[in-house]
Amino acid sequence: MTATVPKPLALRAAAAPYPALLAALAGVLTVSAVVATGIGPVGVPAGEVAGILAHHLTGGGDTAATADLIVWRIRFPRVLLGVVAGAGLALAGAVVQGVVRNPVADPYLLGLSHGASVGAVLVLTTGVAVLGALTLPAAAFCGAATAMALVLAMARQGGRLLPVRLILVGVAFGHLFAGITSFVLARTDSSAAQQQIIFWLLGGLSGTNWATLPVPAAVVAGATVLLLARARRLNALVLGEEAGAALGLNASRLRWQLLVLTTLLTGTVVAVSGGIGFVGLIVPHLARMLVGADHRRMLPVAVLLGGVFLLWADVAARMLISPAELPIGVLTAFLGVPFFLLVMRARGLAGQESA
Amino acid sequence: MRLDIEAVSVTLGGRGVLDEVSLSVPSGGFTALVGPNGSGKSTLLRAVYRARRPDAGVVRIDGRDLWAMPAARAARDVGVLMQEQHTGFEFTVAESVALGRTAHLGMFDRFTRADQDAVAEALDRTGLSAFAGRRVGELSGGERQRVLLARALAGRPRLLVLDEPTNHLDIRHQLDILELVRDLGVTVLAALHGLDLAAAYADAVAVLRAGRLVAHGPPARVLTPAVIGEVYGVDASVHDDAGRIRFGLRPRCVCPDRRCHWSCRQRRDRSVADAR
């Protein structure tokens, strides 16, 4: 019977071989990181950047050269954080979309990003620093976790988590948290308050140094592994509660696990990069257009694409009105929206609507 | 695989939906579940594919309590074709059918040759091999229904639970799906709307009404004018057409009556108005 079926079985619609695509994206990401590190008010040629990075990555110490200082101390950590934040937000968005079975979902939609902002802003305005450098990320995570807990508590009905209620409750809380953030910041008499409001609502990567990087990098890497391990079951979850149960899925438990991981991701990323919108919404769709809806194939692509996307958005943010900087959220919107609309028209999302 | 439903009761929102329903399907048997809308057919099936735990009673497969075993263990034996659910994401036919292997795979298991073979066989049986790379959203209603059946078959189930498998299908596709299912030789419990189809394909018919099992047995013995008339509120005649059972059905109106059907009330009101 199986002899009549050609092998290997075509498990997807896209024609490009998947490993080649992943390798290409990883290549683009690496080259982008080197090139982007060279771009700034003081330009450093890509070759020199590569040399400096190679010197440090092979254990070489600091040198007195200005280029070395700019590349290794200032720009490279920032570029890496852009990659980590973009990857984390794209991953979180992809998973949230699957969990609530809704293609317009992202961490904002569940109130997570704004919850993280509230946590961070409360720490900033009260000046509490019990955990030292970890205080701010911890507070942002607590904010996201509180938001998630509130949303889950309100959305639960008879022990079950219903996607539509989750979205409605999340949107409502999201507005509340954004309001709290703006209120707290507007009330403080600090001259930096305006700047802070912009950062927590639109994001930014300026001021990044090496100390900023380890926590978000570890969280994004860990969450990627844990989420990939659940990608197959996420596919079944997308089919809905009933179909999931029929396939042997404990839908509620899986949803809880996925939402906790998403909260961790969002809280950690927002803590270091502010509230960067749009990445979590758009990048997953680009990934689906490239490799289809199967999360085992789509999540790694979303991670790489998210990294590349935010990296270049940050380059634009620091270059367009140099020496001043634009909030990166402005750039993700300016770059992301037209790009997404173009791709959507070219590729056609019609299939997604007729499903 | 033998299925035993023992005194299963389900309450939804304080209302009894199933009341101590007991029903057995012998290994390899094909039992059709019939009854009016809201009689509890889907709820009974949901108790069998573990979407709704019964408030009382036991469901057994080959003697073992279905609800006492791990969800994935149960799903390996029970294949389900339910009414299609919308999703905003587009899987291809092959991806969608491959999801039928979910219960067979652990968190870190790779999709093996055996899994591939099961998917390929399911696609082949449902005539979908040529559609493997197509997106499900591009297919017709009949083709989508075959995708759902193929997904159920990909798990190589020993018990197949079907909820209105012929919904939205034209006559030819209705027959094709039921032929296919019958010829699989696995145990089947299927909720069906069409009495003709139930009589033609099932070896036993179970009739539900308001959450109770009111008749159960071979089609010719159960689907009588009296039972059909009582359960559906219709005037029924049953004809033997060279071994096939045919039904003549007309709405029954015994108004005025407390249980006068809404359509009869309308008809009565209309005829009164016409008489004026």
Side-chain angles (χ1 to χ4, degrees):
Chain A
M1 170 156 295
T2 52
T4 59
V5 179
K7 302 234 184 241
L9 197 63
L11 282 171
R12 69 212 146 77
Y18 185 65
L21 178 71
L22 275 193
L25 278 173
V28 168
L29 185 60
T30 311
V31 172
S32 293
V34 173
V35 173
T37 303
I39 300 175
V42 178
V44 183
E48 196 180 339
V49 171
I52 292 169
L53 293 182
H55 168 74
H56 282 279
L57 292 174
T58 52
D62 288 354
T63 62
T66 316
D68 184 274
L69 180 74
I70 290 173
V71 166
W72 187 251
R73 290 270 157 219
I74 300 172
R75 293 225 192 107
F76 194 54
R78 177 172 178 160
V79 164
L80 286 186
L81 187 67
V83 172
V84 166
L89 291 173
L91 184 62
V95 172
V96 168
Q97 288 172 2
V99 169
V100 300
R101 304 178 61 212
N102 194 317
V104 302
D106 71 352
Y108 272 89
L109 200 74
L110 294 187
L112 291 181
S113 304
H114 288 312
S117 295
V118 170
V121 163
L122 286 178
V123 164
L124 284 172
T125 51
T126 53
V128 187
V130 279
L131 296 171
L134 279 178
T135 307
L136 202 52
F141 173 70
C142 288
T146 306
M148 187 86 272
L150 284 171
V151 170
L152 288 177
M154 293 293 291
R156 254 164 63 107
Q157 198 173 33
R160 296 205 310 159
L161 223 45
L162 303 173
V164 175
R165 277 176 74 97
L166 208 53
I167 292 172
L168 289 175
V169 173
V171 168
F173 272 112
H175 280 285
L176 177 64
F177 293 141
I180 293 175
T181 302
S182 302
F183 173 73
V184 171
L185 289 171
R187 229 170 43 97
T188 55
D189 211 12
S190 143
S191 56
Q194 294 294 326
Q195 208 53 43
Q196 288 292 343
I197 292 179
I198 288 175
F199 176 75
W200 289 108
L201 293 181
L202 290 170
L205 297 175
S206 60
T208 303
N209 56 47
W210 281 109
T212 324
L213 207 54
V215 174
V219 167
V220 169
T224 303
V225 172
L226 290 172
L227 289 169
L228 274 176
R230 285 162 179 78
R232 190 188 340 257
R233 286 191 276 157
L234 180 55
N235 285 341
L237 191 66
V238 165
L239 298 176
E241 191 96 10
E242 296 265 308
L247 293 171
L249 209 67
N250 187 335
S252 280
R253 192 174 66 192
L254 181 59
R255 242 179 232 140
W256 274 98
Q257 293 173 350
L258 294 173
L259 287 176
V260 167
L261 284 170
T262 312
T263 305
L264 187 61
L265 264 178
T266 310
T268 324
V269 170
V270 170
V272 292
S273 66
I276 302 174
F278 211 66
V279 182
L281 175 65
I282 285 321
V283 173
H285 285 290
L286 294 176
R288 276 190 206 98
M289 289 177 199
L290 280 173
V291 295
D294 183 344
H295 289 91
R296 278 172 304 158
R297 302 161 52 81
M298 182 273 249
L299 292 182
V301 171
V303 165
L304 292 173
L305 274 181
V308 173
F309 178 74
L310 205 61
L311 183 162
W312 284 110
D314 183 49
V315 169
R318 62 180 193 245
M319 289 307 290
L320 280 185
I321 57 166
S322 173
E325 284 201 20
L326 280 169
I328 194 166
V330 172
L331 263 305
T332 56
F334 279 7
L335 285 177
V337 175
F339 179 59
F340 178 68
L341 293 177
L342 277 175
V343 174
M344 193 181 78
R345 285 191 68 88
R347 283 289 307 262
L349 275 186
Q352 299 207 350
E353 280 146 27
S354 69
Chain B
M1 166 162 283
R2 182 183 170 81
L3 170 68
D4 293 291
I5 298 167
E6 297 169 0
V8 162
S9 297
V10 171
T11 312
L12 286 178
R15 197 173 59 90
V17 181
L18 285 179
D19 186 11
E20 298 203 356
V21 173
S22 295
L23 175 66
S24 291
V25 185
S27 191
F30 187 141
T31 295
L33 206 51
V34 304
N37 292 333
S39 59
K41 299 190 296 291
S42 292
T43 306
L44 185 59
L45 295 184
R46 295 177 78 228
V48 178
Y49 64 81
R50 288 189 49 130
R52 175 64 162 84
R53 186 188 280 274
D55 296 305
V58 185
V59 180
R60 297 184 193 280
I61 50 174
D62 278 350
R64 285 164 307 138
D65 185 344
L66 183 84
W67 281 92
M69 56 177 80
R73 178 77 204 78
R76 281 202 283 276
D77 280 331
V78 184
V80 186
L81 193 166
M82 69 195 73
Q83 296 175 40
E84 192 180 4
Q85 303 225 345
H86 172 96
T87 117
F89 307 119
E90 271 297 350
F91 290 112
T92 64
V93 169
E95 283 167 351
S96 191
V97 172
L99 288 175
R101 299 297 298 170
T102 304
H104 296 261
L105 294 160
M107 206 181 280
F108 295 99
D109 288 350
R110 295 187 62 82
F111 212 71
T112 62
R113 185 61 181 266
D115 296 310
Q116 292 253 355
D117 287 348
V119 171
E121 185 185 320
L123 288 170
D124 187 47
R125 281 219 159 138
T126 48
L128 289 170
S129 300
F131 293 76
R134 295 266 297 276
R135 291 178 188 279
V136 177
E138 300 167 1
L139 305 182
S140 73
E143 288 159 350
R144 280 192 217 184
Q145 194 75 352
R146 272 149 66 200
V147 171
L148 297 184
L149 179 62
R151 185 194 294 155
L153 297 185
R156 295 226 166 99
R158 299 200 288 151
L159 165 65
L160 206 48
V161 178
L162 314 172
D163 194 356
E164 309 289 1
T166 57
N167 242 5
H168 311 304
L169 296 184
D170 62 40
I171 304 161
R172 176 63 200 264
H173 282 108
Q174 296 186 7
L175 300 178
D176 284 345
I177 285 226
L178 291 176
E179 295 268 342
L180 200 164
V181 166
R182 186 186 57 189
D183 294 346
L184 288 171
V186 302
T187 312
V188 178
L189 178 63
L192 291 175
H193 264 312
L195 297 179
D196 292 296
L197 293 173
Y201 290 97
D203 46 47
V205 174
V207 184
L208 277 181
R209 181 195 181 181
R212 290 169 190 267
L213 189 69
V214 293
H216 180 213
R221 218 181 64 217
V222 168
L223 297 176
T224 59
V227 170
I228 298 168
E230 169 66 15
V231 169
Y232 287 98
V234 295
D235 284 325
S237 57
V238 179
H239 316 279
D240 190 321
D241 176 6
R244 310 206 79 171
I245 306 176
R246 306 276 178 218
F247 299 92
L249 305 169
R250 277 182 342 114
R252 171 195 291 169
C253 288
V254 284
C255 304
D257 176 277
R258 228 161 17 94
R259 278 183 27 216
C260 180
H261 196 262
W262 63 269
S263 66
C264 298
R265 244 183 346 256
Q266 276 192 343
R267 199 176 315 164
R268 183 190 57 194
D269 294 348
R270 238 186 349 254
S271 61
V272 169
D274 288 348
R276 292 201 185 111

